[in-house]
Amino acid sequence: MRNQEIEGSDDDDMASSTRQGGGSYGPVVAHDNDPVVLEMSSIDPGSSSSLKKVKTRQTSTGAREEPARNDRGGENGGQGESKLELFGFDSLVNILGLKSMTGEQISVPSSPKNGEDHSVAEQIPKVSNGHKLGTMMGVFIPCLQNILGIIYYIRFSWIVGIAGISQSLLLVTLCGLCTILTSVSLSAIATNGAMKGGGPYYLIGRALGPEVGVSIGLCFFLGNAVAGSMYVLGAVETFLSAVPKAGIFRETVIQINEAGVEEPITTPSVHDLQIYGVVVTIILVFIVFGGVKMINKVAPAFLIPVIFSLLCIFLGIFLARRDDETGITGLSSDSFRENWGSFYQKTNDAGIPDPDGERYWNFNALVGLFFPAVTGIMAGSNRSASLKDTQRSIPIGTLAATLTTTFLYIISVFLFGSVATREKLYTDRLLTATIAWPSSTIIYVGIVLSTLGAALQSLTGAPRLLAAIANDNILPVLNYFKVPDSGEPHVATLFTTLLCIGCVIIGNLDLISPTITMFYLLCYAGVNLSCFLLDLLDAPSWRPRWKFHHWSASLFGACLCIVIMLLISWSFTVVSLALASVIYWYVSIKGKAGDWGDGLKSAYFQLALRSLRSLGANNVHPKNWYPIPLIFCRPWGQLPENVPCHPKLADFANCMKKKGRGMSIFVSILDGDYYECAENAKSACKQLAAYTDYRQCEGVAEIIVAPTMADGFRGIVQTMGLGNLKPNIVVIRYPEIWRRENLRQIPATFVSIINDCIVANKAVVIVKGLDEWPNEFQRQYGTIDLYWIVRDGGLMLLLSQLLLTKQIFESCKIRVFCAAEEDSDAEELKADVKKFLYDLRMLAEVIVISINSWDHLNGASQTQDESLEAFTTAQGRIKDYLAEMQQRAEKEGKPLMADGKNVVVNEQQVDKFLYTTLKLNSTIMYHSRMAAVVLVSLPPPPLNHPAYFYMEYMDLLVENIPRILIVRGYRRDVVTLFT
């Protein structure tokens, strides 16, 4: 919001304030996009009392100043002049500005009605926290409900019996340490700024990128949704076991008791599990559809009986008396010593020891069985959008729930191991109900309500997680699950319900339940890796309020998650990682790019800085030399609309890379004043970058504003790049249109660019015949001919090898033409070049040509071929240009000048240069008329020769050659003979 000054007085007051200011104010023209006009347009036209006069000022030089708003006018009751007018156009720190920085939606303040005066504070919409949750109801209770599940009631005492107290403690410590470290990492990330909905997905996505965030987030959503069905089935199974008569389709199973007598046992049917499971799921979904207020009212009703049942279990343990018949010993040191060691063995499907059983239990198997009892630490962060203060509630609530349940498990290990014999521990699956005081019914109620509470939290968190992923607009297929801010995810809840009901109808989740555990562990590993990356990079924005964290602890937590995954099942680990990889690949292909400032981008930045520093400022060894072309996109003439670069320049830039390795820098120049053209330059840079991406050319785009093209290029060639990542080759298009369109300013600019490259020690590649350059579908045959006249560090040879790596030129052969001044030197030169190419591992045919010197001109002048005609025409144009310069110099009384510098013309030297280019052109036309591409050495612009003369030399050199690269190296080698 700009600093504007609103005057609420009438016209007389305004005139008075104008006179008091001591200045005169001329007429000000208001434009449609002026901020003052935009603000006045929001005033209700029907209320005359609401109109406010807007005062604008002009400085003594006539420059317009932005109006300034008196932000404190509403508080003081008056609207005087702004005390901060010194800061001009800058936005002042005020309430509305800070609200906009936090991303809150600020409605446009309406104008006062009926003479009312509203202050700025009154115009700010109040954010209602009536439905927001605190630490206890928003994080601690959901986490506690998700962690305390059916495993503690019906399997924990069995685990103590078969693993012993020692290894049970190790098991609880291992799993608890994993969740505690994850909670610490979660606390650090959650307190590093404002957090939106999505919980762990939001944290992982903003740290590891959208692809990783969406892949892990969808897996975590799937795990939560299917886990809800598991909790429902556990609750229903416990209820039907406690009340067998409630079953509709009861099944009777014959079992032989200890006396060897057959006795019928009534067990719940699969159909009963399905019917009751669907009904319970629908009831829970109706609670979820009631919103946050309904969940807050129901959650304590599920949790309080669970806590009461735990109290009954501990009372029963302390009040237990020795009973040898039942196997209850009370708290006994003898039982503690007996149960200290492990006793792994085979069991049947019910967990009863059986020498002929199919299942052998060891520590790894127990990890897979027990770990779901410690999951659920993300239940609070899943509903982060419903929390009043995420930075306070998530760390305190999550760690409190994690430490509380871990302490409960450790105490329970000692108590269970001391209260019963080992046989009682691994034969009585409901030891908690057997030992509870005063009644086992309380335990059954606790089991049912704990599992239903965990199912409720899963059905609450999973839809919000899916809606958060959809709101980020990464995958268009998830747009159906979007919800507005502070809205309830009804569509996502319905989808989660259908998924949960489908799993309930299946009835048997034994095969996919380990995969659900893997999804939880995958999410925990992602949170730990995110904290590790952010902590290790330590970017300036990494300032978490939670200080008790370290990158080594996060890394250890991530490794521990992977170890536990492998301990549980390596096959399910592979399945879960494969599913996450498929989602990652799908998001990379179909997802929309999003820049969230994730930690991976920071890692790339740090890696780039370290790599740049390690390269140093010294010259790169020829073995490590890569072409970094500076593609000069400024055309000699006009390009089609919305085409910022010649299309074939991008294709040629790709030809200068081997297998896509390397970087191209596309630059262009806007003529004009920087202050006037800055915005145009930004939009042009975006357009150029988008166009190069469209042409599939990896590189960066830059736009420079300069008074002239020559000045702009001189600045580019001096400053572009960093260290050894500065461009080393300048690629420009040959100005073929300069004579056709009579553009006399082009020669001076063209020569200036070449001279700047020579002074800056940059190689130059000038492309002539760019319109005929082949695309990827135009395969070339024939030869690539190199006219290697001067030493260029091997650049021309290297460019020919790079062209051969492209599919369009891979069928071509290389021919190297060398120039010998005397025929006697031809054979020796040919042998040396062949040996040199052999040492360079380059396969090419070597041809030595002899170019006649100036002394043989008389014999050549008798021929009347096309080249000689072009030579004569060029001579005539140079003589006309020289005569014009001499006439202008005599008229002005100045020495002979061209392009702003003194010129010394040696006509004999000019003719010699013309004849040399003539002979070289004739040789190229004779040997390389059918070549796919010709490369020739670039002669430097002669000193004291006008740029016009040099263009005549160049035109004669490239006459009638359809596709030619004119190459000049720089003062270093780019190829080496040594390994």
Side-chain angles (χ1 to χ4, degrees), residues 897-903:
M897 297 185 66
D899 309 324
K901 61 182 180 180
N902 294 333
V903 174

Side-chain angles (χ1 to χ4, degrees), residues 572-828:
F572 282 107
T573 301
V574 172
V575 170
S576 59
L577 291 177
L579 179 59
S581 301
V582 169
I583 299 176
Y584 180 92
W585 173 82
Y586 181 77
V587 175
S588 302
I589 300 299
K590 299 292 185 180
K592 296 181 180 179
D595 187 5
W596 296 341
D598 51 84
L600 286 181
K601 298 290 180 62
S602 179
Y604 297 153
F605 182 76
Q606 294 282 355
L607 182 61
L609 289 181
R610 295 194 178 203
S611 301
L612 187 61
R613 287 197 299 266
S614 65
L615 286 175
N618 299 325
N619 291 332
V620 179
H621 194 276
K623 289 191 296 185
N624 300 324
W625 187 88
Y626 284 87
I628 305 178
L630 178 71
I631 313 298
F632 189 47
C633 301
R634 176 71 178 263
W636 308 107
Q638 296 296 325
L639 287 174
E641 188 177 0
N642 297 327
V643 179
C645 176
H646 196 291
K648 297 299 180 67
L649 268 179
D651 295 339
F652 179 74
N654 283 330
C655 290
M656 300 182 67
K657 301 176 183 177
K658 184 178 182 179
K659 298 181 180 179
R661 300 188 185 101
M663 180 181 67
S664 300
I665 304 176
F666 292 83
V667 298
S668 188
I669 299 173
L670 291 182
D671 295 338
D673 182 73
Y674 176 71
Y675 294 101
E676 297 177 356
C677 303
E679 293 301 323
N680 293 337
K682 292 178 182 178
S683 59
C685 186
K686 293 180 180 179
Q687 185 184 20
L688 181 57
Y691 187 75
T692 54
D693 290 340
Y694 167 72
R695 300 295 300 182
Q696 297 180 352
C697 186
E698 295 184 359
V700 296
E702 293 290 344
I703 299 293
I704 304 297
V705 180
T708 63
M709 185 190 301
D711 294 337
F713 185 83
R714 189 168 293 120
I716 290 172
V717 80
Q718 293 181 78
T719 59
M720 190 65 66
L722 291 173
N724 271 323
L725 289 183
K726 290 183 177 180
N728 45 35
I729 301 178
V730 176
V731 179
I732 58 177
R733 182 187 181 188
Y734 187 78
E736 304 171 47
I737 66 169
W738 77 277
R739 179 177 290 110
R740 184 172 67 249
E741 299 186 12
N742 195 25
L743 300 175
R744 286 294 186 93
Q745 74 278 10
I746 286 183
T749 303
F750 183 70
V751 172
S752 174
I753 289 175
I754 296 176
N755 285 327
D756 290 342
C757 293
I758 294 174
V759 172
N761 195 25
K762 306 290 185 185
V764 183
V765 176
I766 303 173
V767 187
K768 190 259 182 182
L770 195 59
D771 295 330
E772 289 78 26
W773 191 263
N775 57 36
E776 56 182 338
F777 304 107
Q778 297 172 331
R779 195 180 186 91
Q780 299 296 302
Y781 299 92
T783 60
I784 299 176
D785 291 347
L786 282 64
Y787 287 83
W788 195 21
I789 300 174
V790 298
R791 293 180 55 186
D792 56 2
L795 178 61
M796 190 183 297
L797 297 172
L798 187 60
L799 287 179
S800 66
Q801 295 298 316
L802 292 176
L803 290 177
L804 282 183
T805 62
K806 302 303 173 183
Q807 189 175 4
I808 56 176
F809 292 109
E810 64 181 1
S811 300
C812 297
K813 296 181 179 179
I814 296 179
R815 295 192 300 178
V816 178
F817 294 84
C818 298
E821 295 185 2
E822 301 296 338
D823 295 339
S824 58
D825 299 335
E827 291 302 324
E828 184 180 357

Side-chain angles (χ1 to χ4, degrees), residues 193 320 338 368 428 487 557 563 603 702 822 898:
E338 178 189 353
D428 189 355
V563 169
E702 293 290 344
E822 301 296 338

Side-chain angles (χ1 to χ4, degrees), residues 861-923:
S861 62
Q862 304 300 322
T863 61
Q864 298 295 327
D865 54 6
E866 295 180 0
S867 297
L868 187 57
E869 182 181 354
F871 170 79
T872 306
T873 305
Q875 272 186 326
R877 286 194 297 263
I878 287 179
K879 289 181 180 180
D880 293 341
Y881 182 79
L882 185 58
E884 182 182 345
M885 284 197 308
Q886 291 174 344
Q887 184 179 1
R888 185 170 58 249
E890 292 176 357
K891 183 178 179 181
E892 296 177 357
K894 296 181 180 179
L896 194 63
M897 297 185 66
D899 309 324
K901 61 182 180 180
N902 294 333
V903 174
V904 178
V905 178
N906 185 336
E907 295 185 10
Q908 187 178 5
Q909 189 183 41
V910 171
D911 289 342
K912 185 176 181 179
F913 288 168
L914 283 174
Y915 183 71
T916 302
T917 55
L918 165 68
K919 294 299 295 182
L920 185 55
N921 176 265
S922 300
T923 304

Side-chain angles (χ1 to χ4, degrees), residues 182 200-201 204 216-217 220 378 518-528 561:
T182 304
Y201 154 73
I204 296 172
I216 295 180
F220 191 58
M378 299 293 178
M518 298 298 172
F519 290 156
Y520 280 104
L521 283 167
L522 198 61
C523 178
Y524 298 166
V527 171
N528 282 300
C561 291

Side-chain angles (χ1 to χ4, degrees), residues 150 230-240 280 447-448 451-452:
I150 192 171
M230 293 182 60
Y231 296 138
V232 169
L233 288 175
V236 172
E237 185 176 356
T238 303
F239 170 73
L240 292 176
V280 170
I447 294 174
V448 172
T451 51
L452 290 181

Side-chain angles (χ1 to χ4, degrees), residues 234-477:
V236 172
E237 185 176 356
T238 303
F239 170 73
L240 292 176
S241 298
V243 189
K245 296 182 180 180
I248 302 175
F249 304 94
R250 291 189 293 271
E251 294 181 354
T252 302
V253 179
I254 302 300
Q255 183 175 353
I256 301 176
N257 58 19
E258 298 178 356
V261 179
E262 296 182 353
E263 60 177 353
I265 297 178
T266 302
T267 62
S269 170
V270 176
H271 300 297
D272 290 334
L273 294 177
Q274 293 171 342
I275 293 174
Y276 278 99
V278 171
V279 173
V280 170
T281 303
I282 293 175
I283 294 174
L284 293 177
V285 168
F286 273 113
I287 296 176
V288 175
F289 269 111
V292 176
K293 294 181 65 176
M294 178 69 72
I295 296 172
N296 288 346
K297 294 179 180 179
V298 174
F302 286 102
L303 184 62
I304 292 175
V306 173
I307 296 176
F308 185 67
S309 67
L310 292 176
L311 181 62
C312 292
I313 292 174
F314 288 117
L315 285 175
I317 291 175
F318 286 108
L319 297 177
R321 295 293 180 263
R322 186 179 186 89
D323 188 348
D324 294 333
E325 294 183 0
T326 60
I328 302 297
T329 63
L331 292 176
S332 168
S333 59
D334 294 335
S335 298
F336 182 86
R337 286 191 297 269
E338 178 189 353
N339 296 328
W340 177 258
S342 61
F343 189 63
Y344 294 118
Q345 54 188 310
K346 290 184 178 181
T347 66
N348 56 20
D349 293 338
I352 305 300
D354 185 357
D356 300 326
E358 298 180 354
R359 185 71 182 271
Y360 179 77
W361 291 92
N362 53 21
F363 185 80
N364 294 358
L366 291 181
V367 172
L369 175 65
F370 175 72
F371 191 82
V374 298
T375 60
I377 59 175
M378 299 293 178
S381 61
N382 283 346
R383 50 173 69 188
S384 55
S386 303
L387 299 177
K388 292 180 182 178
D389 187 357
T390 57
Q391 299 189 40
R392 181 179 183 274
S393 298
I394 289 180
I396 296 177
T398 304
L399 278 170
T402 304
L403 293 174
T404 299
T405 52
T406 302
F407 178 75
L408 173 67
Y409 289 145
I410 292 176
I411 293 298
S412 298
V413 168
F414 289 105
L415 295 179
F416 286 149
S418 304
V419 80
T421 62
R422 185 183 296 274
E423 182 180 1
K424 181 65 174 178
L425 289 174
Y426 57 64
T427 55
D428 189 355
R429 296 182 61 180
L430 279 172
L431 177 65
T432 53
T434 303
I435 205 172
W437 184 89
S439 173
S440 61
T441 305
I442 300 175
I443 305 304
Y444 286 106
V445 173
I447 294 174
V448 172
L449 292 182
S450 68
T451 51
L452 290 181
L456 178 65
Q457 299 304 328
S458 295
L459 293 175
T460 302
R464 284 164 170 75
L465 179 60
L466 183 61
I469 299 175
N471 284 343
D472 281 333
N473 202 26
I474 299 297
L475 284 179
V477 73

